[in-house]
Coordinates of all heavy atoms in Angstrom, one line a residue:
M1 N 91.0 1.8 27.2 CA 90.2 2.7 26.4 C 88.9 1.9 26.0 O 87.8 2.4 26.0 CB 90.9 3.2 25.2 CG 90.2 4.3 24.4 SD 90.0 5.8 25.4 CE 88.7 6.6 24.4
Q2 N 89.1 0.7 25.5 CA 88.0 -0.1 25.0 C 87.0 -0.4 26.2 O 85.8 -0.4 26.0 CB 88.6 -1.5 24.4 CG 87.6 -2.2 23.6 CD 87.4 -1.6 22.2 OE1 87.8 -0.5 21.9 NE2 86.7 -2.3 21.3
A3 N 87.6 -0.8 27.3 CA 86.7 -1.1 28.5 C 85.9 0.1 28.9 O 84.7 0.0 29.3 CB 87.6 -1.6 29.6
F4 N 86.5 1.3 28.8 CA 85.8 2.5 29.2 C 84.7 2.8 28.3 O 83.6 3.2 28.7 CB 86.8 3.7 29.2 CG 86.1 5.0 29.7 CD1 85.7 5.2 31.0 CD2 85.9 6.0 28.7 CE1 85.1 6.3 31.3 CE2 85.3 7.1 29.1 CZ 84.9 7.3 30.4
T5 N 84.8 2.5 27.0 CA 83.8 2.7 26.0 C 82.6 1.8 26.3 O 81.4 2.2 26.3 CB 84.3 2.5 24.6 OG1 85.5 3.3 24.4 CG2 83.3 2.9 23.6
Y6 N 82.9 0.5 26.5 CA 81.8 -0.4 26.9 C 81.1 0.0 28.1 O 79.9 -0.1 28.2 CB 82.4 -1.8 27.0 CG 82.7 -2.5 25.7 CD1 83.9 -3.2 25.5 CD2 81.8 -2.5 24.7 CE1 84.2 -3.8 24.3 CE2 82.1 -3.1 23.5 CZ 83.3 -3.7 23.3 OH 83.5 -4.3 22.1
F7 N 81.9 0.4 29.1 CA 81.3 0.9 30.4 C 80.3 2.1 30.1 O 79.2 2.1 30.6 CB 82.4 1.3 31.4 CG 81.8 2.0 32.6 CD1 81.2 1.3 33.6 CD2 82.0 3.4 32.7 CE1 80.7 2.0 34.7 CE2 81.5 4.1 33.8 CZ 80.8 3.3 34.8
L8 N 80.8 3.0 29.3 CA 79.9 4.2 28.9 C 78.6 3.8 28.2 O 77.6 4.3 28.6 CB 80.8 5.1 28.0 CG 80.4 6.6 28.1 CD1 80.7 7.1 29.5 CD2 81.2 7.4 27.1
I9 N 78.8 2.8 27.3 CA 77.6 2.4 26.5 C 76.6 1.7 27.5 O 75.4 2.0 27.5 CB 78.0 1.4 25.4 CG1 78.7 2.2 24.3 CG2 76.8 0.7 24.8 CD1 79.4 1.4 23.2
I10 N 77.1 0.8 28.3 CA 76.2 0.1 29.3 C 75.6 1.0 30.3 O 74.4 0.9 30.6 CB 77.0 -1.1 30.0 CG1 77.4 -2.1 29.0 CG2 76.3 -1.6 31.1 CD1 78.4 -3.1 29.4
Y11 N 76.4 2.0 30.8 CA 75.9 2.9 31.8 C 74.8 3.8 31.2 O 73.7 3.9 31.8 CB 77.1 3.8 32.2 CG 76.8 4.7 33.3 CD1 76.7 4.3 34.7 CD2 76.6 6.1 33.1 CE1 76.4 5.1 35.7 CE2 76.3 7.0 34.2 CZ 76.2 6.5 35.4 OH 76.0 7.3 36.5
T12 N 75.0 4.4 30.0 CA 74.0 5.2 29.4 C 72.8 4.4 29.0 O 71.7 4.8 29.1 CB 74.6 5.9 28.1 OG1 75.9 6.4 28.4 CG2 73.8 7.0 27.6
G13 N 73.1 3.2 28.4 CA 71.9 2.3 28.0 C 71.1 1.9 29.2 O 69.8 2.0 29.1
S14 N 71.7 1.6 30.3 CA 70.8 1.2 31.5 C 70.1 2.4 32.0 O 68.9 2.2 32.5 CB 71.7 0.5 32.5 OG 72.7 1.5 33.0
A15 N 70.7 3.5 32.0 CA 69.9 4.7 32.4 C 68.7 5.0 31.5 O 67.6 5.3 32.0 CB 70.8 5.9 32.4
L16 N 68.9 4.9 30.2 CA 67.8 5.1 29.3 C 66.7 4.0 29.5 O 65.5 4.4 29.5 CB 68.3 5.0 27.8 CG 69.0 6.3 27.3 CD1 69.6 6.0 25.9 CD2 68.0 7.4 27.3
V17 N 67.1 2.8 29.7 CA 66.1 1.7 29.9 C 65.4 2.0 31.2 O 64.1 1.9 31.2 CB 66.8 0.3 29.9 CG1 65.9 -0.7 30.4 CG2 67.3 0.0 28.5
G18 N 66.1 2.4 32.2 CA 65.4 2.7 33.5 C 64.4 3.8 33.4 O 63.3 3.7 33.9
L19 N 64.8 4.9 32.7 CA 63.9 6.0 32.5 C 62.7 5.6 31.7 O 61.6 6.1 32.0 CB 64.6 7.2 31.8 CG 65.5 8.0 32.7 CD1 66.3 9.1 31.9 CD2 64.7 8.7 33.8
S20 N 62.9 4.8 30.6 CA 61.8 4.4 29.8 C 60.8 3.5 30.6 O 59.6 3.7 30.5 CB 62.3 3.5 28.6 OG 63.2 4.3 27.9
L21 N 61.4 2.7 31.5 CA 60.5 1.8 32.3 C 59.7 2.7 33.3 O 58.5 2.5 33.5 CB 61.3 0.8 33.1 CG 61.8 -0.4 32.3 CD1 62.7 -1.2 33.2 CD2 60.6 -1.2 31.8
L22 N 60.3 3.7 33.9 CA 59.6 4.6 34.8 C 58.5 5.4 34.0 O 57.4 5.5 34.5 CB 60.6 5.7 35.4 CG 61.3 5.2 36.6 CD1 62.3 6.3 37.0 CD2 60.4 4.9 37.7
W23 N 58.8 5.9 32.8 CA 57.9 6.6 32.0 C 56.7 5.8 31.7 O 55.5 6.2 31.8 CB 58.5 7.1 30.7 CG 57.6 7.7 29.8 CD1 57.0 8.9 29.8 CD2 57.0 7.0 28.6 NE1 56.1 9.1 28.8 CE2 56.1 7.9 28.0 CE3 57.2 5.8 28.0 CZ2 55.5 7.6 26.9 CZ3 56.6 5.5 26.9 CH2 55.7 6.4 26.3
F24 N 57.0 4.5 31.3 CA 55.9 3.6 30.9 C 55.0 3.3 32.1 O 53.8 3.4 32.0 CB 56.6 2.3 30.4 CG 55.6 1.3 29.9 CD1 55.0 1.5 28.7 CD2 55.4 0.1 30.6 CE1 54.1 0.5 28.2 CE2 54.5 -0.8 30.1 CZ 53.9 -0.6 28.9
F25 N 55.6 3.1 33.3 CA 54.8 2.7 34.5 C 53.9 3.9 34.9 O 52.7 3.8 35.1 CB 55.8 2.4 35.6 CG 55.1 2.3 36.9 CD1 54.3 1.2 37.2 CD2 55.2 3.3 37.9 CE1 53.7 1.0 38.4 CE2 54.6 3.1 39.1 CZ 53.8 2.0 39.4
Y26 N 54.5 5.1 34.9 CA 53.7 6.3 35.4 C 52.6 6.7 34.3 O 51.6 7.2 34.7 CB 54.6 7.5 35.7 CG 55.2 7.3 37.1 CD1 56.6 7.0 37.2 CD2 54.4 7.4 38.2 CE1 57.1 6.8 38.5 CE2 55.0 7.2 39.5 CZ 56.3 6.9 39.6 OH 56.9 6.7 40.8
D27 N 53.0 6.5 33.1 CA 52.0 6.9 32.0 C 50.8 5.9 32.1 O 49.7 6.4 32.0 CB 52.7 6.7 30.6 CG 51.8 7.2 29.5 OD1 51.4 8.4 29.6 OD2 51.5 6.4 28.6
R28 N 51.0 4.7 32.3 CA 49.9 3.7 32.4 C 49.1 4.0 33.6 O 47.8 3.9 33.6 CB 50.4 2.3 32.5 CG 50.8 1.7 31.1 CD 51.1 0.3 31.2 NE 50.1 -0.5 31.9 CZ 49.8 -1.7 31.8 NH1 50.5 -2.4 30.9 NH2 48.9 -2.3 32.4
R29 N 49.7 4.3 34.7 CA 49.0 4.6 36.0 C 48.1 5.8 35.8 O 47.0 5.9 36.2 CB 50.0 4.8 37.1 CG 49.4 4.6 38.5 CD 50.3 5.1 39.5 NE 50.5 6.5 39.4 CZ 51.2 7.3 40.3 NH1 51.7 6.7 41.3 NH2 51.3 8.6 40.1
D30 N 48.7 6.9 35.2 CA 47.9 8.1 35.0 C 46.7 7.9 34.1 O 45.6 8.4 34.4 CB 48.8 9.2 34.4 CG 49.7 9.8 35.4 OD1 49.6 9.5 36.6 OD2 50.5 10.7 35.0
K31 N 46.9 7.1 33.1 CA 45.9 6.9 32.1 C 44.7 6.1 32.8 O 43.6 6.4 32.6 CB 46.4 6.0 30.9 CG 45.7 6.2 29.7 CD 46.4 5.6 28.5 CE 47.5 6.5 28.0 NZ 48.3 5.9 26.9
R32 N 45.1 5.1 33.6 CA 44.1 4.3 34.3 C 43.3 5.2 35.3 O 42.0 5.1 35.3 CB 44.8 3.2 35.1 CG 43.9 2.0 35.3 CD 44.6 0.9 36.0 NE 45.8 0.5 35.3 CZ 47.0 0.3 36.0 NH1 47.0 0.4 37.3 NH2 48.0 -0.1 35.3
S33 N 43.9 6.1 36.1 CA 43.2 6.9 37.0 C 42.3 7.9 36.2 O 41.2 8.2 36.7 CB 44.1 7.6 38.0 OG 44.9 8.6 37.3
F34 N 42.8 8.4 35.1 CA 42.0 9.4 34.3 C 40.8 8.7 33.7 O 39.7 9.3 33.8 CB 42.9 9.9 33.2 CG 42.2 10.8 32.2 CD1 41.8 12.1 32.6 CD2 41.8 10.4 31.0 CE1 41.1 12.9 31.7 CE2 41.1 11.2 30.1 CZ 40.8 12.5 30.5
E35 N 40.9 7.5 33.2 CA 39.8 6.7 32.7 C 38.7 6.4 33.7 O 37.6 6.5 33.5 CB 40.3 5.4 32.0 CG 40.9 5.6 30.7 CD 40.0 6.1 29.6 OE1 38.8 5.6 29.5 OE2 40.3 7.1 28.9
A36 N 39.2 6.1 34.9 CA 38.3 5.8 36.0 C 37.4 7.0 36.3 O 36.2 6.9 36.6 CB 39.0 5.3 37.3
N37 N 38.0 8.2 36.3 CA 37.3 9.5 36.6 C 36.4 9.8 35.4 O 35.3 10.3 35.6 CB 38.2 10.6 36.8 CG 38.5 10.8 38.3 OD1 37.6 10.5 39.1 ND2 39.6 11.3 38.6
R38 N 36.8 9.6 34.2 CA 36.1 9.9 33.0 C 34.8 9.1 32.9 O 33.8 9.6 32.3 CB 37.0 9.7 31.8 CG 36.6 10.6 30.6 CD 37.6 10.3 29.5 NE 37.5 9.0 29.0 CZ 36.8 8.6 28.0 NH1 36.1 9.5 27.3 NH2 36.8 7.3 27.6
R39 N 34.8 7.9 33.4 CA 33.7 7.0 33.2 C 32.6 7.2 34.2 O 31.6 6.4 34.3 CB 34.1 5.5 33.3 CG 35.0 5.1 32.1 CD 34.8 3.7 31.7 NE 35.7 3.4 30.6 CZ 36.7 2.6 30.6 NH1 37.0 1.9 31.7 NH2 37.5 2.4 29.6
R40 N 32.7 8.2 35.0 CA 31.6 8.5 36.0 C 30.4 9.0 35.3 O 30.4 9.7 34.3 CB 32.1 9.6 37.0 CG 33.1 9.1 38.0 CD 33.6 10.2 38.9 NE 34.1 9.6 40.1 CZ 33.4 9.6 41.2 NH1 32.2 10.1 41.3 NH2 33.9 9.0 42.3
K41 N 29.2 8.6 35.9 CA 27.9 9.0 35.3 C 27.4 10.1 36.2 O 27.4 9.9 37.5 CB 27.0 7.8 35.3 CG 27.5 6.6 34.5 CD 27.2 6.7 33.1 CE 27.7 5.7 32.2 NZ 27.9 4.3 32.5
V42 N 27.0 11.2 35.6 CA 26.5 12.3 36.4 C 25.0 12.4 36.5 O 24.3 12.2 35.5 CB 27.1 13.7 35.8 CG1 26.7 14.8 36.7 CG2 28.6 13.6 35.7
F43 N 24.5 12.7 37.7 CA 23.1 12.8 37.9 C 22.7 14.1 38.5 O 23.5 14.7 39.3 CB 22.6 11.7 38.8 CG 22.8 10.3 38.2 CD1 24.0 9.6 38.4 CD2 21.7 9.7 37.5 CE1 24.1 8.4 37.9 CE2 21.9 8.4 37.0 CZ 23.1 7.8 37.2
H44 N 21.5 14.6 38.2 CA 21.0 15.8 38.9 C 19.7 15.5 39.4 O 18.8 15.1 38.7 CB 21.0 17.0 37.8 CG 20.4 18.2 38.4 ND1 19.2 18.8 38.0 CD2 20.9 19.1 39.4 CE1 18.9 19.9 38.7 NE2 19.9 20.1 39.5
C45 N 19.5 15.7 40.7 CA 18.2 15.3 41.3 C 17.2 16.4 41.0 O 17.4 17.6 41.2 CB 18.4 15.2 42.8 SG 16.9 14.7 43.7
V46 N 16.0 16.0 40.5 CA 15.0 16.9 40.1 C 14.2 17.3 41.4 O 13.5 18.3 41.3 CB 14.1 16.4 39.0 CG1 14.8 16.2 37.7 CG2 13.4 15.1 39.5
R47 N 14.3 16.6 42.5 CA 13.6 16.9 43.6 C 14.3 17.9 44.5 O 13.8 19.0 44.9 CB 13.2 15.7 44.4 CG 12.3 16.0 45.6 CD 12.1 14.8 46.5 NE 11.1 13.9 46.0 CZ 10.9 12.7 46.6 NH1 11.7 12.3 47.6 NH2 10.0 11.9 46.1
C48 N 15.6 17.6 44.8 CA 16.3 18.5 45.8 C 17.5 19.3 45.1 O 18.1 20.1 45.8 CB 16.9 17.7 47.0 SG 18.2 16.6 46.5
G49 N 17.8 19.0 43.8 CA 18.8 19.8 43.2 C 20.2 19.3 43.4 O 21.2 20.0 43.1
N50 N 20.4 18.2 44.0 CA 21.7 17.6 44.4 C 22.4 17.1 43.1 O 21.7 16.5 42.3 CB 21.5 16.5 45.4 CG 22.9 16.0 45.9 OD1 23.8 16.8 45.9 ND2 22.9 14.8 46.3
L51 N 23.7 17.4 43.0 CA 24.5 16.8 41.9 C 25.3 15.7 42.4 O 26.0 15.9 43.4 CB 25.4 17.9 41.3 CG 25.0 18.6 40.0 CD1 26.1 19.6 39.7 CD2 24.6 17.7 38.9
Y52 N 25.3 14.5 41.8 CA 26.1 13.4 42.3 C 26.5 12.5 41.1 O 25.9 12.6 40.0 CB 25.3 12.6 43.4 CG 24.0 12.0 42.9 CD1 23.9 10.7 42.5 CD2 22.9 12.8 42.8 CE1 22.7 10.1 42.1 CE2 21.6 12.3 42.4 CZ 21.6 10.9 42.0 OH 20.4 10.4 41.6
S53 N 27.5 11.7 41.4 CA 28.0 10.8 40.3 C 28.3 9.4 40.8 O 28.6 9.3 42.0 CB 29.2 11.4 39.7 OG 30.3 11.5 40.6
V54 N 28.2 8.4 39.9 CA 28.5 7.1 40.3 C 29.5 6.5 39.2 O 29.6 7.0 38.2 CB 27.3 6.2 40.4 CG1 26.4 6.6 41.6 CG2 26.5 6.2 39.1
R55 N 30.1 5.4 39.6 CA 31.0 4.7 38.6 C 30.4 3.5 38.0 O 31.1 2.7 37.5 CB 32.3 4.3 39.4 CG 33.3 5.5 39.4 CD 34.6 5.0 39.9 NE 35.4 6.2 40.2 CZ 36.5 6.2 40.9 NH1 36.9 5.0 41.4 NH2 37.2 7.3 41.1
K56 N 29.1 3.2 38.2 CA 28.5 2.0 37.7 C 28.5 2.0 36.2 O 28.6 3.0 35.5 CB 27.1 2.0 38.1 CG 26.8 1.3 39.4 CD 25.3 1.2 39.6 CE 25.0 0.8 41.1 NZ 23.5 1.0 41.3
G57 N 28.5 0.8 35.6 CA 28.5 0.6 34.2 C 27.1 0.8 33.6 O 26.9 1.6 32.7
D58 N 26.1 0.2 34.2 CA 24.7 0.2 33.7 C 23.8 1.1 34.6 O 23.6 0.7 35.7 CB 24.2 -1.2 33.6 CG 22.7 -1.2 33.0 OD1 22.5 -0.3 32.1 OD2 21.9 -2.0 33.4
V59 N 23.4 2.2 34.1 CA 22.5 3.1 34.9 C 21.2 3.3 34.2 O 20.6 4.4 34.3 CB 23.2 4.4 35.4 CG1 24.2 4.1 36.4 CG2 23.8 5.1 34.2
S60 N 20.7 2.4 33.3 CA 19.6 2.6 32.5 C 18.3 2.7 33.3 O 17.3 3.2 32.9 CB 19.5 1.6 31.4 OG 19.5 0.3 32.0
F61 N 18.3 2.2 34.6 CA 17.1 2.3 35.4 C 17.2 3.4 36.4 O 16.5 3.4 37.4 CB 16.8 0.9 36.1 CG 16.5 -0.2 35.2 CD1 17.4 -1.2 34.9 CD2 15.3 -0.2 34.5 CE1 17.1 -2.2 34.0 CE2 15.0 -1.2 33.6 CZ 15.9 -2.2 33.3
G62 N 18.2 4.3 36.3 CA 18.3 5.4 37.1 C 19.1 5.1 38.4 O 19.5 3.9 38.6
E63 N 19.4 6.1 39.2 CA 20.2 5.9 40.4 C 19.6 6.8 41.4 O 19.3 8.0 41.2 CB 21.7 6.4 40.1 CG 22.7 6.0 41.1 CD 22.9 4.6 41.3 OE1 22.7 3.8 40.3 OE2 23.4 4.2 42.3
P64 N 19.3 6.2 42.7 CA 18.7 7.0 43.7 C 19.6 8.1 44.2 O 20.8 7.9 44.4 CB 18.4 6.0 44.8 CG 19.2 4.9 44.5 CD 19.5 4.8 43.1
C65 N 19.0 9.3 44.5 CA 19.8 10.4 45.1 C 20.3 10.1 46.5 O 19.5 9.5 47.3 CB 18.9 11.6 45.1 SG 19.6 13.1 45.9
P66 N 21.5 10.4 46.9 CA 22.0 10.1 48.2 C 21.4 11.0 49.3 O 21.4 10.6 50.5 CB 23.5 10.3 48.1 CG 23.7 11.2 46.9 CD 22.6 10.9 46.0
E67 N 20.8 12.1 48.9 CA 20.2 13.0 49.8 C 18.7 12.6 50.1 O 18.3 12.6 51.3 CB 20.2 14.5 49.3 CG 21.6 15.0 49.1 CD 22.2 15.6 50.3 OE1 21.4 16.2 51.1 OE2 23.4 15.5 50.5
C68 N 17.9 12.4 49.1 CA 16.5 12.2 49.3 C 15.9 10.9 48.7 O 14.7 10.7 48.7 CB 15.7 13.4 48.7 SG 15.9 13.5 46.9
E69 N 16.8 10.1 48.2 CA 16.4 8.7 47.7 C 15.5 8.8 46.4 O 15.0 7.8 46.0 CB 15.7 7.9 48.8 CG 16.6 7.7 50.0 CD 17.8 6.8 49.8 OE1 17.7 5.8 49.1 OE2 18.9 7.2 50.3
Y70 N 15.4 9.9 45.8 CA 14.6 10.0 44.6 C 15.4 9.4 43.4 O 16.5 9.7 43.3 CB 14.2 11.5 44.3 CG 13.3 11.6 43.2 CD1 11.9 11.4 43.3 CD2 13.7 12.0 41.9 CE1 11.0 11.6 42.2 CE2 12.9 12.2 40.8 CZ 11.5 11.9 41.0 OH 10.7 12.1 39.9
N71 N 14.7 8.6 42.6 CA 15.4 7.9 41.5 C 15.5 8.9 40.3 O 14.5 9.3 39.8 CB 14.6 6.7 41.1 CG 15.4 5.7 40.3 OD1 16.6 5.5 40.6 ND2 14.9 5.2 39.3
N72 N 16.7 9.2 39.9 CA 17.0 10.1 38.8 C 17.7 9.4 37.7 O 18.3 8.3 37.9 CB 17.9 11.2 39.3 CG 17.3 12.1 40.3 OD1 16.4 12.9 40.0 ND2 17.8 12.0 41.5
Y73 N 17.5 9.9 36.5 CA 18.2 9.4 35.3 C 19.4 10.2 34.9 O 19.5 11.4 35.2 CB 17.2 9.2 34.2 CG 16.1 8.2 34.5 CD1 14.9 8.6 35.1 CD2 16.4 6.9 34.3 CE1 14.0 7.6 35.4 CE2 15.5 5.9 34.6 CZ 14.2 6.3 35.2 OH 13.3 5.3 35.5
E74 N 20.3 9.5 34.2 CA 21.6 10.1 33.9 C 21.5 11.3 33.0 O 20.6 11.4 32.1 CB 22.4 9.1 33.1 CG 23.8 9.5 32.8 CD 24.6 8.5 31.9 OE1 24.0 7.5 31.5 OE2 25.8 8.8 31.7
L75 N 22.3 12.3 33.3 CA 22.4 13.5 32.5 C 23.0 13.2 31.2 O 24.0 12.5 31.1 CB 23.2 14.6 33.2 CG 22.5 15.4 34.3 CD1 23.5 16.4 34.9 CD2 21.3 16.1 33.9
S76 N 22.4 13.7 30.1 CA 23.1 13.5 28.8 C 23.4 14.9 28.2 O 22.5 15.7 28.3 CB 22.2 12.6 27.9 OG 20.9 13.2 27.8
F77 N 24.5 15.0 27.6 CA 24.9 16.3 27.1 C 24.9 16.3 25.5 O 25.1 15.3 24.9 CB 26.3 16.6 27.5 CG 26.4 16.7 29.0 CD1 26.9 15.7 29.7 CD2 26.0 17.9 29.7 CE1 27.0 15.8 31.1 CE2 26.1 17.9 31.1 CZ 26.6 16.9 31.8
Ligands
ZN1 ZN1 17.7 14.5 45.8

């Protein structure tokens, strides 16, 4: 009886630890991919009307349009 109780505790405990590790891993991965998408800078070309985005950190000097190479500045909301 005693051995069975220990087995039950270890079995349930290891399942809980395993699920917690999986949750932790997938939560961190989702957060990272969400942050990478959120940090995109959006541009609207005033010459051709193209909408585009980049992942650069510093865009204070603008970013050229991929369609017509016109230098545009970041959209601010
Ligand atoms: Zn353009």
Side-chain angles (χ1 to χ4, degrees):
M1 190 63 196
Q2 195 78 347
F4 181 70
T5 310
Y6 284 132
F7 169 75
L8 207 64
I9 289 170
I10 290 167
Y11 187 76
T12 315
S14 61
L16 280 175
V17 168
L19 281 175
S20 302
L21 285 174
L22 278 175
W23 171 77
F24 186 72
F25 171 74
Y26 282 108
D27 187 59
R28 279 186 53 152
R29 199 192 64 170
D30 283 357
K31 208 170 279 177
R32 208 177 305 133
S33 68
F34 175 75
E35 282 295 312
N37 265 331
R38 205 176 66 93
R39 289 210 182 117
R40 283 176 160 263
K41 306 272 174 37
V42 182
F43 297 86
H44 177 246
C45 183
V46 292
R47 187 190 277 171
C48 69
N50 187 28
L51 262 181
Y52 58 101
S53 64
V54 292
R55 273 189 193 166
K56 270 187 194 169
D58 180 36
V59 287
S60 52
F61 295 108
E63 190 68 21
C65 172
E67 298 275 325
C68 66
E69 302 293 320
Y70 184 80
N71 198 41
N72 295 290
Y73 291 94
E74 185 186 3
L75 284 179
S76 52
F77 300 99

